[in-house]
Amino acid sequence: MPRLAYSAFSLLRQGLNRHRGWPAAWRTPEPKAHYAAIVVGGGGHGLATAYYLARNHGVTDVAVLERGWLGGGNTGRNTTVVRSNYYFPASGALYDLALKLYEGLSRDLNFNIMLSQRGMLMLAHSAHELEFARRTVNAIRRNGIDCTLLDRDQVRRRLPILDMSPDARFPVVGGYRQARAGVARHDAVAWGYARAADARGVDIIQNCEVLGFIFEGGRVVGVETSRGAIRADRVGLAVAGHSGVLAAKAGFRLPITSYALQAFVSEPIKPILHEVVLSSATGVYVSQSDKGELVVGGGLDLHPSYSQRGNLPVVEGVMSGLVGMFPCFANLRMMRSWGGIVDVVHDSSPIIGPAPVPGLYLDCGWGTGGFKAIPAGGTLLAHVMATGEQHPIARPFGLERFRTGALVDEAAASGIAH
Amino acid sequence: MSGFRLPQGGRIDRTRPLAFRYGGRSYAGFAGDTLASALIANGVSVVGRSFKYHRPRGIFAAGPEEPNAIVQLGARPNLKATQVALVDGLEAGPVNCWPGAGFDVGAAAGLLKRFLPAGFYYKTFMWPGWRWWEPMIRRAAGLGRVDPEAAMPDGQRRSLHCDVLVVGGGPAGIAAALAAGAEGARVVLVEQDPQLGGALLAADGAVIDAMPADTWLAAAIATLEARPDTRVLRATVAFGVYDHGLVAAVERERIVWKIRARHTVLATGAIERPIAFENDDLPGVMLAGAARTYLLRWAAAAGRRLLLFANNDDAYRTALAWTSRGLPVAAVVDPRRSPDGPLAEELRAAGVPITAGAVVERALGRRGVTGAVIRHATGGRTKAACDVLAVSGGRDPAVNLFVQGGGTLAWDAAVAAFVPAAGGQGMPAGAAAGAFALGRALADGHAAGAAAANVAAGTVPYAEDDVATPLQPTWYSGRDQSRCWVDRASDVTVADVVLAARESYVSVEHYKRYTTSGMSPDQGKSSAVVALALLGAATGRQPADVGTTRFRAPWDPVPLAALIGQDRGPQLRPVLHLPTHDRHAALGAMIEEYGGWMRPAAYPQGAESLDAAVFREAAAVRAGVGLFDASPLGKIEVRGPDAARFLDRMYVQRLSTLKPGRLRYAVAATEHGIVFDDGVVARLAEDRFLVGTTSGGAGRVFDAFEEWLQCEWVDLAVFVTPVTHQWGVVNVAGPEARALIAAAGTDIDLASAAFPHMTFREGTVAGIPARVSRVSFTGELSYEIAVPARRTAALWDALAAAGPMVPFGVEALMTLRIEKGYIHVGADTDGTTYPADCGFADAVARRNDDFVGRRSMRRPDALRGGRLQLVGLLPEAADATLHAGAHVVAAGGGSDGHVSSACRSPAMGRTIALAMVRDGRARMGEAVTVDDLGKTVAARIVAPVFFDPEGTRLR
Amino acid sequence: MLLIDCPWCGPRDEAEFRCGGEGHIARPDPDTADDATWAAYLFDRDNVKGLGFERWHHRHGCGRWFNVARDTVTHEIRAIYAMTDPKPTGGA
C-alpha cells in the first residue's frame, strides 16, 4: 500500500494539519541499468501494465518510461467514456474485462477515479438504424453484457432536452442504452495506477524518451533512451499515437495510421444532461462532467497527423451535430478544445500481443477508444509479458489477424462510431 | 458599495441613460458602458460567488481575463460582465449562487474549505462508492443555466482573404494596420473590444506625434476607415490560429470569420497579473490596470480610497489617475527598494506616499476590502485603510494565438514574463511581443505592419517612453498560503499549488489538472504565469524550466451558434428530394430519409397503419401493377475503349461478355474482398456502359472507379461520368406493367420476345425520350423507365393516369425483394460479408482473372468454416413474428448469426426472413431458436427464396 | 485548415479534398502474393512522423487525384505532384 492511504479519515486529519503530511504520490527514481521488464509509455495502458505485472504476476522489477509527463497522451485527452456495448464476442469480452476492472478500480488503487455509471444512450434516427440497433442489442446481450433497446418515448423520458420533433434533421426513432456505461476521471486513472504501481516498487521515469532498441541475437534486450541505455528481459510498448514511430525504430511496420482526434468542452452549466449520448447519424457524442462542462467528441480529423492540434472543419461539424441533437446548446460557448494522436487500425480493434521481433510486446491500435480499455490493456499486456503466452481474451487481437483476414471489425458490424 | 460614477469624463454617452437590472435590482448606466463598468458605477461590489467555496467576489479585471464576474444574460450563461455591452432593459444576474450573490446558501462550502484542498475528491468518496456521493457533488456543479426552451441565436460563417491581418486594435495594431495599408495592400484589422484603441482608451495624458493620444487615435481611425482596402472588424475576437495560417475570429458573437492572410501581425496586447496575498479575492481587490480603465474609460471609480500594490512603474499610472481625479490614494506599496522613475516622482509630487521595499500581506474586510496589512522591509507591519486595493505584478504578453500558430516562447527576466521567441505563423508586435511602453509598441507595430505588407517603412508614430525602474518579480506576499488566491475562477490558492508540488504533480500540466487551475471561463488569462512561477518556487525551478501549459484554441469561449453557422435545421447535411416529391406528398406518402434521399416509405390510406399500407402495396404489385420512384438508384456512365476491361476488374461478375442492349446484375467488392455495392449494368454499346448502383452507394462507387482509374490503372482509357441526378426513374412493376406502359404510349415493342428480361431499349414513353430497362427487384414483370430528370413528374403523371395502379414505397419494395431473396447491400450484408457468404460463391469461382478484392477472398478467414451465410428463416408457427436484428441462438448460448431482413409476406401469408447464419447453407431444414430481446421464436432454416423460385413471373 | 494547391484548381481549403492515405503503395501481383505480402499491402503503413507521402483527391472540385508530400507534424506541404510521378527526393 502507499505510504499514506487515502480516506475520508486521512483527509480530515490532514485538514487539521494543513495538509502538510501528504506524501509524494510517486517517487522520482533514477533509471537502473537493468529491469526485469520495461514498459514504454506512461499513459494509462503503460502504467496499468506495470501495476498488473506487479500485482498479478509478482514482477515488481519494472520501469515505466515516459517521454513527457504521466498521462500526457491520450489518457489525458479523451472524452472519458467507458462502456462495453460491443458487437462481437471477442470485443465484448475485452471491453467488459476493462469495465469490470473499472468497477472496482477506485478501491483497488485507493484512488477515486470517479467512475460514474450514468449510462450511455445511442440514438437511432431511422427505421433502418433501429433495426441495426436491435441487432446490436441482441448481440450484446448474447455476449452477456447489459443493453436495452429503447423506443422513442423511452428516449424522450431520459433526454427531455433532445430535439424530438419529427421534422428534426435527424429525427429520433429510438435507441439503445448500456446502463453500466458512463464516464471516469481520466487523469485519476493515470495517477491512480502510477501511485499504486510505485507503491509496489515500480520505477516511474518521466522525461525519458526511448530513442531506439538494443538487440542481441535478434532479440530486444533493452532500450536506448535520452537518459542512457536501460536493459530489460522484455519490453512492452504502450505508446498510442506513436506506435508506428517506435515500431520503425525496432525495424518493423504496423497496420496503423496516426490521426488527430479532437474533443471539446463548453463552459460549466448547471446539470442538465445525465447520460452519455451518441448520435449514430453524426457520430457526435456528449456528456456533462461533474464540474458542469459539456464534454463533446466526434470524428477524426480529415488527414493523418502527429500534431495534437485540431482543425476547424471538424470543430464546426461536431458542434453542428451537437446542436442538431440539442438545439438549446446553441446558447453555449466552446471553452476549450484539445487533440490527441490516435492509432487508427482498419478494423478499429486493438493490437495486443507479441511484436514481430522477440522480446517486444505490443499494446496499441486502440483508435479512439483506448481510455475505456485501460485496465484490460494493462492486464493483457502484463499477462503476455509475464508469461510469454497470450491471455485467452487477447488471442483474437494479435497481429496475425491481418494476415489471415480474421479482423474484428466492430464498425462494420454494428454501425457504432468508435 | 463604494464604487461610484465621476460627474464628468469617460467615453460614455451621458445623454443616453440606460436602465438595466442585475440580480433582480434596478440600476442605471450609460451608452458605452459594459455591464461591469455600470455595476461598478452603481456601487455593486459583490457581483457573484466563487465556483468552489462560494466566496463573495467582485469585479477584478476589465477585459476577457475577468475571473469573477460571470453572469447569466437571459438564455446565455457564463458571460463575463466585462464583455457585455450595456443596452437598455438588459436583465442579468450572477450565476452559481442562491438566493443571490449577497447572501448565498452555498457559502457553507467555504466553512469546510480546509478539508477540501486541491484534488480532495481523489482521496475520498471511495466508500460506500462514488455512485453514492456523486449526485451530491453534481448538484454543486456548473455556473450558469441552459434554458431548454430558448430560441437558437443566429449565426454565420464567412471567409475573408487579405494581404495582412492585424489582430488587435491597440496602439501597436493600429500602427501596424496604418503601415501595412499605406500602399494599398488589403488589410484586415480585428479588435475584440467594440472600440479601437486598446490601452489608449485608458491613457491619461499620453502624447503621440506631438498630439494628445485621443486626437492621434481619431485621426488614425479616420485614415484606416477611409482606405478602400482596409477593413476594420470591431467586437471581433480572434480565437484560433489553424493550419497554414488560417485565423478564426468571431464578430459580435454571431459571425465566425475564417481569415486567410498572406501575413498576420499579432498585436494582441498583454494581460496584467496580480500578486497573491491573503484574502486577495475580496471584492474591491482588482488589477491596477482595470481600476484605471474603469476610472478613465467609463468614469467609474471602483471606490473612494485607493491602495496600490505594484512592483512596476506602469501600474503607478493608476495611482496618478486616481489622485488627478481628486480621489485619495492611501499609499503605493512597492516591493522594490528604490522606485525612482519619472512616474514615481510625479506621484510623490502629487503627495502620494510610496512605501518602498514593502508588500501587502493581507487584505482586510469581510464582504469587501476595508484596508490592508502592509509588511515592511524591516519586517514590521502597518495597516492602511482603503476600499479599492489595486494590484499589479507585471504584465504577460497575450501569446495564446502566437503559440497556437506554432511559435515558441522564452522567459524574459526583464519583464518576468514569457515572450515570443521564434517561429509561428504570426508576427508578434507591441505588448504582445513584450514591448510594453507606448513608444516602443508603436514603433514595433509599425515595423511589423510594414514588413508584413512588404512596403517602405514610412513615418513611425512617435511617443516618448519614460525611463522605468525595472520590475521586481513578486508572486506572493501573504503568510497563510491557504488564503492567498492564485486562480480566482477555479478557487485555487497558493497552498493548493504547494500541495500539488508536494504530491508529485510537478509538471505544469499535472499541476493544472490536479488543481483545475486555468480551466474556467477566464482560462487562467491573469493567473497562469503566477501559478507556474509559484510551482517553480515550490519545486526549486525557474519559470523558464517549468514552462507553460499548451495554448489551444479558443483564446476566449466561442458561441456555438456562430461556430455552426447555417449548419442547422434542414441545412445540417442537406437531403435530396425526388423530382416527383410533390406527387408523393399529394398522395399522402409517409416520407423518410433513406441514404440522404427523402423517399416515400409507404402511402397509408386514411387511418391505415404503416404495416398495413406496406402489406397492401406489396400485395397490389403482385396482383396488378405498382409505380415506384426509383430515381435515387445510382447511375454511372462508363465509356472508352477499355470500359469493359475496367468493369471486369471492378465487379465480381464478368461484364465484358455482356452484349450491347443487355443487362447483367453485378456485385462489387472492396480490395478487402467485402461486398461493397450491387446493381444492374447495362451495355449501351461496345465501349459504353451504364452502371447501376445502390441509392446510397452512387457516390462511393463513382469515387472508387475514379480512384482505381487515376491511381492504379492509369493506362486504361476509360471515362466515368456520374449521371444519377440527370435521370429520373419510374419503376413499373407487376403483371399489368406492360399494359400500363402501353396505355401511357410508347414506341418500344414491349412484347417479351422483342424486349426480354434483362435487356434494355431506348425510345419514348408517354412522348418522353426514355431509356427502359426490363429489370426486376420485385420478382414481377418490371420496367425501369429513365427519363431526363425534369420530365420525371410528367412521366409519373402519364403512367398514373394510364390505368389502375398503386404507388408503392420503399418498404413494400423491401417486402417484395425479401420474398424473392434478393439481398439488400447494407442490410443483409455488412462490413464483414464476402460475396461468397451471400450467394455469389459460384460467381467468384467462375472468374480466373483478377478483380478488386479477389485476392482477399482467398485469405484463410474468408475460406474457413463457420462463416455466416445467407439463408431464409421461417418461423415454425405460422403466426409468429421475426424482427430484423434478432439473433439465432448458438449451441453454447452465443450468437449463430442474425436476422438481416424480415417482413410480413402477403405472398406467403406469414412472416418470412433472410438471415446470416453460421454455416447456414449446410444447415438447410434445421430447426433453430431465434432470440429477440429475450423472446424466443422457433424457426427453420430454408432456402433464401420464398416466392416463385423458378422466376416464371419475370418472363 | 490546410490550404492545398490543387494542380488543376489552385489553392483551396482542405474541406474540398479527401485524403486517400499513404501514397506509392505498390499493389502486389495478386496471383503470386502470399498472405503476408498481401496483408502488408492492405494494412501496413510507414505512418511517418515528419515528411510523409500521401495521395489526395479533390473531391468537391475537379475530381483529380494527386500526390502530396506533407509534414505530418507541422502539416506543411512540401510538394504536390502527379499520381504517376515518383517520390520527390532531396530537398522536397
Side-chain angles (χ1 to χ4, degrees):
Chain A
M1 281 299 285
R3 279 187 288 151
L4 174 58
Y6 291 164
S7 67
F9 177 70
S10 61
L11 190 65
L12 271 174
R13 267 190 51 176
Q14 287 299 324
L16 298 171
N17 183 31
R18 304 178 73 83
H19 302 285
R20 286 195 189 110
W22 292 115
W26 49 80
R27 295 165 294 125
T28 309
E30 284 301 312
K32 297 192 295 184
H34 179 271
Y35 289 93
I38 282 177
V39 182
V40 183
H45 282 266
L47 293 165
T49 301
Y51 173 70
Y52 293 117
L53 274 170
R55 196 195 78 168
N56 295 355
H57 304 282
V59 183
T60 57
D61 184 23
V62 177
V64 176
L65 307 184
E66 166 55 46
R67 183 179 60 146
W69 39 282
L70 295 184
N74 297 333
T75 301
R77 310 181 181 280
N78 58 77
T79 47
T80 78
V81 174
V82 296
R83 62 183 176 90
S84 63
N85 50 354
Y86 281 78
Y87 188 88
F88 290 112
S91 313
L94 175 67
Y95 289 99
D96 213 48
L97 169 68
L99 188 52
K100 286 194 178 115
L101 287 167
Y102 263 133
E103 285 169 335
L105 198 61
S106 290
R107 289 184 204 171
D108 186 16
L109 301 180
N110 181 235
F111 201 106
N112 185 4
I113 61 151
M114 290 183 256
L115 175 70
S116 171
Q117 291 177 289
R118 58 185 69 169
M120 178 165 188
L121 210 165
M122 318 274 204
L123 300 174
H125 300 283
S126 68
H128 183 69
E129 283 185 14
L130 200 57
E131 275 182 8
F132 254 99
R134 192 177 196 114
R135 180 179 154 193
T136 305
V137 171
N138 278 313
I140 292 166
R141 290 161 66 113
R142 299 231 73 75
N143 293 342
I145 294 165
D146 70 296
C147 196
T148 326
L149 190 71
L150 304 182
D151 65 22
R152 196 166 173 276
D153 282 337
Q154 289 168 313
V155 172
R156 185 208 307 270
R157 276 198 293 278
R158 293 204 161 269
L159 298 170
I161 58 170
L162 192 66
D163 184 355
M164 298 293 290
S165 62
D167 56 351
R169 173 61 190 89
F170 297 111
V172 174
V173 302
Y176 65 98
R177 181 172 188 270
Q178 185 186 21
R180 285 166 64 232
V183 294
R185 176 90 180 102
H186 56 1
D187 292 325
V189 173
W191 299 339
Y193 273 120
R195 176 168 164 269
D198 175 88
R200 287 177 184 265
V202 171
D203 280 359
I204 297 168
I205 300 162
Q206 300 184 74
N207 302 308
C208 179
E209 181 175 5
V210 169
L211 306 171
F213 294 86
I214 304 169
F215 284 88
E216 263 172 28
R219 183 183 167 83
V220 170
V221 294
V223 292
E224 297 286 355
T225 79
S226 54
R227 296 171 69 171
I230 309 173
R231 297 173 78 90
D233 302 338
R234 64 225 106 166
V235 177
L237 282 189
V239 291
H242 283 72
S243 306
V245 175
L246 279 156
K249 291 184 198 300
F252 59 95
R253 301 202 304 167
L254 285 171
I256 289 177
T257 303
S258 296
Y259 278 82
L261 176 71
Q262 299 189 66
F264 314 94
V265 161
S266 77
E267 327 109 290
I269 48 171
K270 291 294 170 197
I272 191 166
L273 182 66
H274 307 291
E275 302 251 335
V276 185
V277 184
L278 179 143
S279 162
S280 55
T282 59
V284 173
Y285 53 97
V286 56
S287 66
Q288 185 174 17
S289 76
D290 285 339
K291 207 180 159 193
E293 302 153 327
L294 296 181
V295 183
V296 192
L300 296 167
D301 273 16
L302 306 176
H303 49 77
S305 175
Y306 282 95
S307 161
Q308 286 180 332
R309 180 181 69 184
N311 233 337
L312 197 54
V314 171
V315 183
E316 296 169 349
V318 170
M319 290 306 164
S320 56
L322 174 71
V323 174
M325 277 190 280
F326 300 102
C328 62
F329 291 165
N331 281 294
L332 288 179
R333 295 185 296 172
M334 176 179 89
M335 187 169 77
R336 292 198 307 275
S337 71
W338 63 88
I341 308 302
V342 300
D343 287 352
V344 174
V345 178
H346 180 78
D347 63 355
S348 319
S349 283
I351 299 166
I352 307 167
V357 296
L360 192 62
Y361 300 89
L362 301 173
D363 170 23
C364 59
W366 291 95
T368 63
F371 175 72
K372 70 173 79 76
I374 283 172
T379 299
L380 301 179
L381 180 58
H383 187 278
V384 70
M385 285 178 72
T387 66
E389 297 290 328
Q390 282 275 60
H391 189 288
I393 288 178
R395 273 178 210 145
F397 297 100
L399 266 179
E400 61 279 4
R401 75 178 189 270
F402 298 96
R403 185 185 56 76
T404 63
L407 305 183
V408 188
D409 196 340
E410 282 292 324
S414 64
I416 298 175
H418 273 246
Chain B
M1 300 290 244
S2 50
F4 62 98
R5 183 85 71 182
L6 298 181
Q8 64 215 17
R11 295 166 197 273
I12 47 173
D13 184 351
R14 293 182 194 249
T15 67
R16 287 174 58 206
L18 306 173
F20 72 101
R21 288 170 67 79
Y22 187 76
R25 293 195 184 185
S26 297
Y27 301 102
F30 293 110
D33 262 327
T34 64
L35 176 58
S37 68
L39 287 170
I40 286 177
N42 280 278
V44 181
S45 59
V46 179
V47 297
R49 290 277 170 163
S50 71
F51 180 71
K52 186 172 168 189
Y53 304 125
H54 289 253
R55 291 168 65 90
R57 291 284 169 80
I59 290 163
F60 182 70
E65 69 273 30
E66 171 60 35
N68 290 336
I70 308 296
V71 303
Q72 178 93 24
L73 185 66
R76 302 167 62 203
N78 305 340
L79 300 181
K80 297 165 198 155
T82 52
Q83 292 176 306
V84 175
L86 197 67
V87 294
D88 201 38
L90 178 142
E91 175 113 30
V95 297
N96 196 34
C97 53
W98 185 86
F103 174 75
D104 174 19
V105 169
L111 302 177
L112 296 172
K113 178 174 171 298
R114 72 182 307 166
F115 301 110
L116 310 177
F120 72 94
Y121 30 76
Y122 299 126
K123 295 172 177 154
T124 181
F125 303 133
M126 286 173 274
W127 296 91
W130 178 240
R131 180 192 297 269
W132 198 81
W133 295 97
E134 187 188 18
M136 265 183 278
I137 302 283
R138 200 168 168 79
R139 265 196 287 280
L143 295 170
R145 287 179 192 284
V146 166
D147 174 1
E149 307 301 327
M152 201 185 291
D154 185 28
Q156 294 178 17
R157 292 198 301 255
R158 296 191 196 169
S159 291
L160 201 52
H161 296 256
C162 59
D163 298 311
V164 179
L165 167 67
V166 180
V167 181
I174 289 173
L178 284 171
E183 293 179 16
R186 291 172 306 158
V187 175
V188 173
L189 172 63
V190 304
E191 164 54 45
Q192 61 191 7
D193 197 275
Q195 291 194 43
L196 293 183
L200 297 179
L201 298 175
D204 224 4
V207 172
I208 303 174
D209 287 347
M211 59 185 114
D214 262 6
T215 313
W216 180 86
L217 178 60
I221 292 171
T223 303
L224 292 175
E225 293 193 330
R227 286 181 182 163
D229 290 315
T230 290
R231 178 166 193 166
V232 180
L233 295 172
R234 295 176 173 84
T236 302
V237 183
F239 63 83
V241 178
Y242 296 91
D243 282 325
H244 298 179
L246 181 93
V247 173
V250 59
E251 180 183 4
R252 289 178 288 111
E253 311 216 15
R254 287 294 171 267
I255 305 167
V256 166
W257 287 100
K258 296 191 250 188
I259 307 173
R260 283 221 185 264
R262 287 183 206 285
H263 298 282
T264 299
V265 175
L266 296 170
T268 45
I271 292 193
E272 195 164 34
R273 64 186 180 223
I275 298 166
F277 51 87
E278 290 173 38
N279 299 336
D280 59 354
D281 69 328
L282 274 177
V285 177
M286 65 165 51
L287 290 170
R292 181 167 78 241
T293 300
Y294 285 115
L295 188 76
L296 299 180
R297 181 169 173 188
W298 290 292
R304 301 273 166 192
R305 185 176 166 85
L306 175 82
L307 181 77
L308 175 68
F309 175 29
N311 64 349
N312 61 88
D313 281 16
D314 184 71
Y316 281 22
R317 298 179 199 279
T318 299
L320 279 169
W322 216 262
T323 187
S324 74
R325 298 304 188 272
L327 300 170
V329 177
V332 171
V333 178
D334 192 330
R336 295 177 295 180
R337 294 277 172 180
S338 48
D340 53 4
L343 289 169
E345 293 311 316
E346 234 181 293
L347 267 181
R348 290 190 181 105
V352 175
I354 298 177
T355 313
V359 295
V360 170
E361 184 174 282
R362 178 154 41 114
L364 300 169
R366 288 182 57 81
R367 298 170 49 79
V369 65
T370 57
V373 174
I374 299 164
R375 188 173 70 232
H376 297 271
T378 58
R381 291 176 176 78
T382 55
K383 284 187 185 176
C386 65
D387 60 356
V388 189
L389 206 173
V391 59
S392 175
R395 280 181 288 178
D396 295 308
V399 292
N400 186 305
L401 296 179
F402 173 73
V403 177
Q404 279 191 45
T408 57
L409 303 176
W411 181 256
D412 181 349
V415 292
F418 281 103
V419 297
Q425 292 165 337
M427 215 181 309
F436 296 142
L438 179 59
R440 272 186 66 202
L442 287 166
D444 200 35
H446 178 89
N454 195 21
V455 296
T459 316
V460 184
Y462 177 77
E464 187 172 342
D465 291 334
D466 299 324
V467 182
T469 309
L471 164 149
Q472 175 175 324
T474 313
W475 309 108
Y476 134 74
S477 57
R479 279 197 309 172
D480 182 349
Q481 295 174 331
S482 69
R483 298 197 158 275
C484 302
W485 257 257
V486 175
D487 183 332
R488 287 158 179 76
S490 302
D491 265 342
V492 177
T493 66
V494 176
D496 292 322
V497 180
V498 172
L499 177 65
R502 180 185 306 134
E503 291 192 284
S504 313
Y505 303 97
V506 296
S507 153
V508 66
E509 294 280 359
H510 283 158
Y511 152 78
K512 172 181 119 179
R513 288 152 183 266
Y514 192 63
T515 63
T516 73
S517 184
M519 292 194 173
S520 295
D522 71 323
Q523 296 156 310
K525 288 183 174 66
S526 66
S527 62
V529 175
V530 179
L532 67 89
L534 289 168
L535 182 65
T539 52
R541 292 176 293 172
Q542 294 302 311
D545 300 323
V546 176
T548 66
T549 56
R550 183 154 177 172
F551 293 99
R552 297 176 177 283
W555 151 250
D556 208 41
V558 188
L560 296 193
L563 266 181
I564 69 172
Q566 293 299 302
D567 290 354
R568 56 176 82 192
Q571 285 108 283
L572 174 61
R573 305 202 192 172
V575 289
L576 295 159
H577 289 87
L578 298 170
T580 51
H581 184 83
D582 296 347
R583 301 297 191 278
H584 305 302
L587 287 164
M590 182 184 282
I591 291 176
E592 290 180 9
E593 184 193 342
Y594 294 87
W597 287 85
M598 299 307 286
R599 307 177 71 178
Y603 302 80
Q605 305 290 294
E608 195 180 30
S609 73
L610 173 66
D611 285 351
V614 171
F615 195 84
R616 173 181 55 74
E617 291 168 16
V621 170
R622 297 243 186 267
V625 61
L627 289 191
F628 176 77
D629 191 327
S631 302
L633 280 176
K635 297 169 274 292
I636 303 172
E637 284 211 21
V638 179
R639 281 183 293 169
D642 296 317
R645 199 139 69 97
F646 170 63
L647 290 176
D648 273 354
R649 294 183 190 177
M650 292 308 302
Y651 281 91
V652 170
Q653 287 79 3
R654 187 183 286 285
L655 291 162
S656 56
T657 56
L658 189 63
K659 297 204 166 33
R662 299 198 67 89
L663 310 175
R664 184 168 291 164
Y665 172 81
V667 174
T670 65
E671 184 72 323
H672 294 266
I674 301 299
V675 173
F676 173 59
D677 201 77
D678 68 346
V680 170
V681 179
R683 189 163 199 171
L684 307 181
E686 199 57 38
D687 63 346
R688 196 163 172 211
F689 292 80
L690 181 64
V691 174
T693 76
T694 58
S695 303
R700 60 176 181 265
V701 172
F702 171 71
D703 284 346
F705 283 4
E706 284 287 355
E707 184 166 5
W708 281 101
L709 281 171
Q710 291 188 40
C711 302
E712 187 68 29
W713 301 316
V714 293
D715 56 318
L716 292 188
V718 178
F719 198 76
V720 177
T721 315
V723 295
T724 305
H725 300 277
Q726 279 66 38
W727 296 90
V729 180
V730 178
N731 176 212
V732 185
E736 302 302 324
R738 192 175 286 128
L740 189 75
I741 298 171
T746 180
D747 60 359
I748 300 169
D749 183 353
L750 298 174
S752 251
F755 188 178
H757 184 53
M758 295 306 273
T759 61
F760 168 91
R761 297 288 179 271
E762 289 186 86
T764 63
V765 175
I768 304 166
R771 290 172 162 180
V772 184
S773 300
R774 193 169 156 201
V775 61
S776 179
F777 197 40
T778 57
E780 297 297 322
L781 172 67
S782 166
Y783 299 87
E784 286 180 359
I785 307 171
V787 296
R790 63 192 161 77
R791 305 195 69 177
T792 319
L795 175 68
W796 177 277
D797 290 345
L799 289 166
M805 62 88 215
V806 169
F808 66 104
V810 173
E811 296 305 323
L813 182 72
M814 288 295 131
T815 295
L816 295 163
R817 69 96 193 162
I818 293 168
E819 289 177 337
K820 288 292 295 181
Y822 297 147
I823 62 161
H824 180 207
V825 170
D828 300 303
T829 70
D830 62 26
T832 68
T833 310
Y834 290 94
D837 298 333
C838 57
F840 302 102
D842 293 346
V844 173
R846 269 199 293 275
R847 291 289 295 269
N848 53 13
D849 54 340
D850 187 41
F851 58 88
V852 171
R854 180 167 181 261
R855 175 62 185 84
S856 292
M857 296 172 196
R858 289 184 281 147
R859 291 178 296 177
D861 193 65
L863 304 173
R864 70 176 160 88
R867 293 200 61 82
L868 302 185
Q869 294 171 329
L870 182 76
V871 295
L873 269 188
L874 266 186
E876 297 281 31
D879 59 347
T881 312
L882 284 177
H883 280 290
H887 278 248
V888 176
V889 180
S895 170
D896 246 355
H898 57 274
V899 176
S900 55
S901 300
C903 69
R904 197 158 63 90
S905 161
M908 308 294 291
R910 60 191 297 177
T911 291
I912 58 171
L914 299 176
M916 294 297 292
V917 173
R918 193 169 316 284
D919 287 323
R921 276 201 295 278
R923 293 167 67 180
M924 287 298 156
E926 186 180 321
V928 293
T929 301
V930 178
D931 172 79
D932 186 26
L933 306 174
K935 272 176 56 185
T936 55
V937 176
R940 194 164 293 276
I941 296 175
V942 297
V945 50
F946 298 91
F947 180 71
D948 186 23
E950 284 77 36
T952 50
R953 298 173 72 91
L954 293 169
R955 298 178 189 110
Chain C
M1 189 136 87
L2 306 182
L3 190 65
I4 299 169
D5 197 2
C6 170
W8 307 87
C9 308
R12 302 292 176 90
D13 272 344
E14 73 174 74
E16 292 185 12
F17 298 83
R18 185 165 64 97
C19 180
E22 242 163 78
H24 305 285
I25 296 171
R27 188 172 191 248
D29 178 350
D31 289 322
T32 57
D34 61 13
D35 287 334
T37 307
W38 192 252
Y41 155 67
L42 288 181
F43 301 112
D44 288 355
R45 296 294 176 260
D46 289 339
N47 196 22
V48 175
K49 183 177 185 179
L51 183 62
F53 301 89
E54 301 165 337
R55 65 193 203 195
W56 284 72
H57 177 211
H58 198 182
R59 178 82 166 74
H60 303 289
C62 61
R64 300 300 297 173
W65 283 86
F66 50 88
N67 280 313
V68 174
R70 187 176 67 97
D71 189 305
T72 57
V73 179
T74 65
H75 296 174
E76 182 197 352
I77 291 174
R78 307 270 190 87
I80 289 181
Y81 54 102
M83 277 314 305
T84 47
D85 289 348
K87 267 186 202 183
T89 50

